[in-house]
């Protein structure tokens, strides 16, 4: 056995020998020693196997790290592509929705450019037909709708939806831009009708009460004539908008405001009731049928019932407590 180099020295050189980093002389010495020493050869074999396993593990770890990094990058790329696609789709959808609203679907037109050219109420069918125009160049009427007001009773809103004229069709004559519109509202009896956009911009175009002023004046005269205790100079009848049907008869209601004291009085301004001095609103309504022969009933808020006992009006006037309109007092 070659004893020129102890086993301890050879074993210290084995890692370099296995990795192939020893000089040719050093490698030859270790190689000759391994041929003669079984113990160092077994040590060499074990060490070589451990280094090989460690190398494989490191290689596998590096490969797995590279694969994980690639997968993570692919996920990020896929997520980025999906995000970009969604954002692009939403932007495109918003753009198309704006185009559709402007050129196809339409949007409510403000009331200022709208003009009603005729308003016809049919006494036979109670239908109201409106004709109008949109006084804006480049706008065309898409559709006209009506609906009950969300904020008050017996009020109807008419909304005119318009679209812009397609740019490459702007050369068309004005008549072909469809600026005129027409709509028929069924059963408009008792209603006030507004052009609206939608609730915050409103302009009244029809009032059933104003359209039937003479008829209502006659009905009010009938009330003053047939109900004892009512005085036209002292007691104001305030029309309650809408039609109420009782026992198959259509009628309207009036609230009653009575002036208290010799210096109190009332007047009407633009169809609004204005008062000076002490007054009281009676807790009752007067209902009168629209058609002759007139039928009059009293609705008592205390009992919640209609009655033909007209004496209730005089009784409520005697017990009325005054409410003073200080903001209406004049010096």
């Amino acid at each position: 056995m070659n004893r020129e180099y102890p086993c301890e020295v050879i074993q210290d050189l084995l890692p370099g020998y296995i990795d192939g980093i020893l000089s040719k002389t050093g490698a030859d010495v270790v190689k000759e020693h391994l041929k003669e020493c079984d113990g160092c050869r077994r040590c060499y074999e074990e060490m070589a196997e451990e280094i090989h396993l460690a190398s494989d593990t490191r290689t596998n770890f590096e490969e797995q790290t590279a694969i994980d990094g690639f997968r993570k990058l692919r996920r990020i790329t896929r997520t980025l592509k999906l995000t970009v696609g969604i954002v692009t789709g939403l932007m495109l959808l918003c753009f198309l929705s704006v185009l559709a609203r402007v050129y196809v679907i339409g949007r409510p037109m403000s009331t200022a450019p709208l003009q009603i050219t005729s308003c016809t109420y049919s006494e036979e069918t109670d239908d109201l037909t409106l004709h109008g125009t949109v006084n804006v160049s480049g706008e065309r009427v898409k559709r006209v709708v009506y609906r009950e007001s969300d904020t008050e009773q017996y009020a109807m809103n008419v909304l005119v939806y318009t679209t812009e004229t397609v740019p490459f069709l702007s050369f068309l004559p004005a008549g072909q831009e469809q600026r005129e519109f027409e709509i028929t509202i069924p059963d408009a009896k008792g209603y006030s009708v507004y052009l609206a956009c939608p609730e915050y911009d409103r302009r009244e175009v029809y009032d059933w009460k104003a359209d039937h002023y003479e008829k209502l004046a006659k009905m009010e005269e009938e009330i003053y004539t047939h109900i004892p205790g009512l005085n036209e100079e002292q007691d104001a009848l305030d029309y309650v908008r809408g039609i109420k049907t009782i026992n198959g008869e259509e009628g309207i209601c009036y609230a009653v405001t009575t002036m208290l004291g010799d210096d109190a009085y009332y007047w009407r301004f633009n169809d609004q009731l204005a008062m000076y001095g002490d007054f009281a609103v009676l807790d009752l309504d007067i209902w009168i049928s629209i058609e002759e022969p007139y039928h009059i009933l009293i609705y008592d808020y205390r009992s919640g019932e209609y009655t033909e006992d007209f004496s209730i009006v005089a009784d409520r006037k005697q017990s009325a407590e005054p409410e003073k309109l200080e903001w209406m007092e004049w010096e």
Side-chain angles (χ1 to χ4, degrees):
M1 183 179 293
N2 185 0
R3 295 298 184 181
E4 183 177 357
Y5 296 98
C7 291
E8 290 81 1
V9 174
I10 297 300
Q11 292 176 7
D12 289 339
L13 295 175
L14 286 178
Y17 177 75
I18 294 172
D19 290 338
I21 61 175
L22 294 181
S23 64
K24 185 176 183 306
T25 303
D28 290 341
V29 169
V30 174
K31 184 176 181 181
E32 291 298 327
H33 184 88
L34 293 178
K35 290 179 180 180
E36 300 176 355
C37 180
D38 294 337
C40 289
R41 189 165 55 252
R42 285 193 300 271
C43 182
Y44 162 75
E45 293 172 353
E46 293 175 357
M47 188 177 295
E49 184 177 359
E50 291 178 358
I51 291 176
H52 178 71
L53 291 175
S55 177
D56 290 345
T57 302
R58 182 170 61 253
T59 300
N60 292 337
F61 175 76
E62 292 174 352
E63 292 177 352
Q64 187 63 42
T65 301
I67 292 173
D68 291 343
F70 177 74
R71 289 176 177 173
K72 184 176 181 181
L73 179 61
R74 188 170 60 180
R75 285 197 302 270
I76 294 174
T77 303
R78 186 167 58 247
T79 302
L80 182 60
K81 288 181 179 179
L82 181 61
T83 302
V84 172
I86 292 175
V87 172
T88 303
L90 289 176
M91 292 178 64
L92 181 60
L93 182 61
C94 291
F95 177 71
L96 292 177
S97 65
V98 171
L99 288 181
R101 184 176 176 84
V102 172
Y103 294 108
V104 181
I105 300 175
R107 63 223 184 272
M109 170 64 70
S110 62
T111 63
L114 301 179
Q115 179 182 0
I116 298 299
T117 56
S118 68
C119 182
T120 306
Y121 179 83
S122 171
E123 297 293 343
E124 290 76 20
T125 63
D126 298 324
D127 294 345
L128 177 69
T129 301
L130 302 177
H131 295 265
T133 59
V134 177
N135 296 325
V136 178
S137 178
E139 293 283 334
R140 59 193 301 270
V141 177
K142 183 64 177 179
R143 65 186 187 279
V144 185
V145 300
Y146 66 88
R147 64 189 183 203
E148 295 272 358
S149 172
D150 295 330
T151 58
E152 56 185 306
Q153 290 185 327
Y154 297 101
M156 195 74 69
N157 291 332
V158 175
L159 289 82
V160 180
Y161 287 80
T162 63
T163 60
E164 292 187 14
T165 304
V166 180
F168 56 80
L169 296 179
S170 58
F171 62 87
L172 291 176
Q176 297 185 42
E177 294 181 6
Q178 298 182 12
R179 291 199 213 167
E180 298 183 357
F181 63 88
E182 175 183 330
I183 187 170
T184 298
I185 303 173
D187 196 18
K189 182 184 289 187
Y191 276 80
S192 292
V193 179
Y194 300 83
L195 289 174
C197 178
E199 285 278 359
Y200 52 83
D201 177 13
R202 301 174 69 203
R203 175 159 57 90
E204 187 176 73
V205 294
Y206 177 79
D207 181 10
W208 184 86
K209 174 189 174 184
D211 192 30
H212 295 78
Y213 177 79
E214 294 183 359
K215 186 180 188 69
L216 267 64
K218 186 176 181 180
M219 294 164 65
E220 292 172 9
E221 181 181 352
E222 192 77 9
I223 291 174
Y224 283 119
T225 301
H226 288 83
I227 296 183
L230 279 187
N231 185 317
E232 188 172 359
E233 295 182 358
Q234 183 184 17
D235 304 309
L237 297 179
D238 197 10
Y239 167 73
V240 180
R241 187 165 55 193
I243 303 297
K244 294 185 181 297
T245 302
I246 300 177
N247 298 328
E249 286 187 283
E250 290 184 333
I252 61 175
C253 289
Y254 287 94
V256 181
T257 302
T258 184
M259 303 296 110
L260 303 177
D262 295 335
D263 59 345
Y265 59 91
Y266 74 92
W267 71 99
R268 297 187 183 277
F269 179 75
N270 289 337
D271 202 35
Q272 297 295 317
L273 184 64
M275 292 165 285
Y276 172 80
D278 293 343
F279 74 98
V281 179
L282 303 185
D283 52 356
L284 54 83
D285 283 342
I286 299 176
W287 178 90
I288 181 171
S289 61
I290 295 177
E291 304 300 333
E292 299 184 47
Y294 295 116
H295 185 198
I296 300 175
L297 296 174
I298 307 297
Y299 178 76
D300 185 2
Y301 281 98
R302 297 182 185 179
S303 65
E305 297 178 349
Y306 286 93
T307 178
E308 294 183 342
D309 182 8
F310 296 163
S311 65
I312 190 175
V313 177
D315 293 341
R316 296 294 165 81
K317 286 182 61 176
Q318 291 180 358
S319 61
E321 295 293 332
E323 302 175 38
K324 201 173 187 63
L325 278 178
E326 296 182 358
W327 65 275
M328 290 293 295
E329 288 186 352
W330 299 344
E331 295 181 358

